[in-house]
Every structure is written in C-alpha cells, then in structure tokens.
Amino acid sequence: MSARINIARPASGGYTPDPHGFGNSRPSAGYRAANPDDPVEKLRTFARTVEDYVDIYSQPLKPHLPAIGRFLIVGTFLEDSWRIVTQWGDQLWYLQRHRHFPWGISHFFLIINVITMLIGSGAVISKKYSEYAVGGLLGVVIVQAFGYGLIFDLNFFLRNLSVIGGLLMVFTDSMYTRKKIFAGLPTLSENDRKKYFLLAGRVLLIFLFIGFILRGQWSIARVFVSIIGLAACIMVAVGFKAKWSAGFLVIMLSIFNVFINNFWSIHSAHPQRDFLKYDFFQTLSIVGGLILLVNMGPGGLSVDEKKKTY
C-alpha cells in the first residue's frame, strides 16, 4: 500500500483540542463550591447544627406532640363551657337584656353550646370522630360570634380566625390517621385535601399575632417583637422553614400568654379577669394548632416542599 494514514499531529498551527470552536473559553458561571469563610455559609452551617441538635433532643417529645396539640386546641372550648355553667345567671341576663333573646331561647342557646363544646372537645382529645367534632366546634365559634354580637369586634374576629385555623389543623391531623373521610369528593385525592386544609390552617393561625400587633401601646420592645413575630408568621404562611418558625411562635406566644394574659393575678371580682382568662385559653388553642403544624409539617403547598422537588 503506497498511501498511509498519518496520525501524527500537524506540524503547523499547533494542536487544537476543539477544532470546531464549540468550547467556551470564558470561566464557568455554574456551581461553585461553598466558601467556608462566607458569613452566609457560616450562618447556614450554624442553623443546620442547631436543627440537628433540636432533632436529637426533641425525639422523646415528638410522639406526644399530637396529643398535646389537640388538648391545647380544645382548651378554650372547655373553659368556655365551665364559664357558662358557673355563670349561668349572668349569661342568661346578658342574652335576654342586651341581645334580646326570648326566655327559653336563651336557655336553649346556652345548653346547645355547652353540650356541643364538651362532646366535641372530648372527641378531639380521644381522636374519635374528629371530623364531626371539628364541624361542631366550628359551628359553636360562628354561632357565638353572632349570638353575643361580637362578629364586628376586630380583636375577637382575628382571634377566632386563628382558632378556626387550629381546628383545621386537627381536621388535617385526623386525615393523616384515616385513609378516607369524604367519599363524595372524587375530584380531589386524599393528599390534595391535606395540602389545601394545611394551607388554610397555616394562614389562619397567624391572625392572632396580627391582632396583637394592631392593639396596645407601642414601644421599642414591642416594635422589635412585632417585626420578629411578623417575619415568623410570614414564614409559617408560605411554608418556609415552617416547623422552626412555628416552634419559635409556640415559645413566643407561650411567654406572651403567661406575662400578658395573667388572669390569676387579678382579683376574682374584677371584670377584667374574665377577659384575660378568655384571651389566655384562646392563645393556648392557637399554640396547640402550631404544635400540630410542627408535628405534621407544612404540607405540599409550601416553599419547604417545593425545595425538595427542585
């Protein structure tokens, strides 16, 4: 064979590893290794370390979180039942004199409220027929708002929105333990219903803190607490680091509840005592809803869940 293939590199022009010019001579702008000296990276590392330690030391408490959350949520209904029974005469006088309830209707109104709250609270705590119990307690919240004429009271309205959010968390928690509740909704899967109820519960839970921001006298400490608390509320609503922000709100609201709604320090004959007691137990109910959120997580419609996907 007279002709042979020359596999040697050309002598002129030099070797070109990319003869067609497809290579990129510019430095890559893609993924870069994290700089351990970066302050943001240090903060992320510290946050991950704290999360790991919290996970380790909170393990013994985690199995009991659903029971604690459920009990706290119905605390306001149990206290309300006790208050109606122990102040029966005052309740009748208010309904008949100020709300113009006819005699007999006022009695029926109070009896139905007490029975529904006691049975519903017991069902929520025992995790029996939770969906029906939540429906009954929701009815009590709505009926009392109109019956006592407090539907247009902004503070009452915001607080009760948060209580409704706590009840939705109970409803969602019951959906986690039962495979099928609604047979008449074929268009939505079980997971879809959980996502939407969790989203509604998360959003409604934060209205209590909005009410806290809107009322009271302002101070530097109050501004500082309001900014931090509002940031945590937004994180809960959008589902970003929802477990940790909900845990922070649990601690924050618990401290606030003990020092601000300290009804036990007021004389039993003082009219302010009942209002503080009412606020105290309602705040406990919202804390219970946040505890359930810590236990269940924010659900599918959240930033945390989307971060897992992408």
Side-chain angles (χ1 to χ4, degrees), residues 8-19:
R9 295 180 183 179
S12 61
Y15 173 64
T16 305
D18 184 21

Side-chain angles (χ1 to χ4, degrees), residues 9 13 32-33 36-37 49 60 70 78 83 91-92 96 102 106 126 128 137 184 188 199 222 231 299 301-302 304 307:
R9 295 180 183 179
R32 291 182 297 177
D37 297 325
T49 304
R70 284 170 171 264
L78 294 173
R83 180 164 49 85
Q91 296 286 329
L92 288 175
Q96 294 171 7
S106 56
S126 62
K128 300 287 183 65
L137 295 176
L188 290 176
L199 174 62
R222 184 183 177 88
L301 297 176
S302 63
D304 289 344
K307 285 168 64 180

Side-chain angles (χ1 to χ4, degrees), residues 104-156:
I105 299 296
S106 56
H107 295 70
F108 180 76
F109 177 83
L110 294 178
I111 291 172
I112 290 297
N113 273 272
V114 170
I115 293 175
T116 304
M117 286 189 288
L118 290 177
I119 295 177
S121 298
V124 166
I125 294 172
S126 62
K127 302 181 76 170
K128 300 287 183 65
Y129 305 104
S130 294
E131 64 277 10
Y132 301 111
V134 168
L137 295 176
L138 279 174
V140 167
V141 172
I142 296 171
V143 167
Q144 285 193 355
F146 286 99
Y148 286 96
L150 298 172
I151 188 66
F152 298 111
D153 184 292
L154 181 60
N155 181 52
F156 176 88

Side-chain angles (χ1 to χ4, degrees), residues 91-105:
Q91 296 286 329
L92 288 175
W93 177 83
Y94 177 82
L95 291 174
Q96 294 171 7
R97 179 71 179 271
H98 294 280
R99 300 300 301 162
H100 309 293
F101 274 55
W103 192 96
I105 299 296

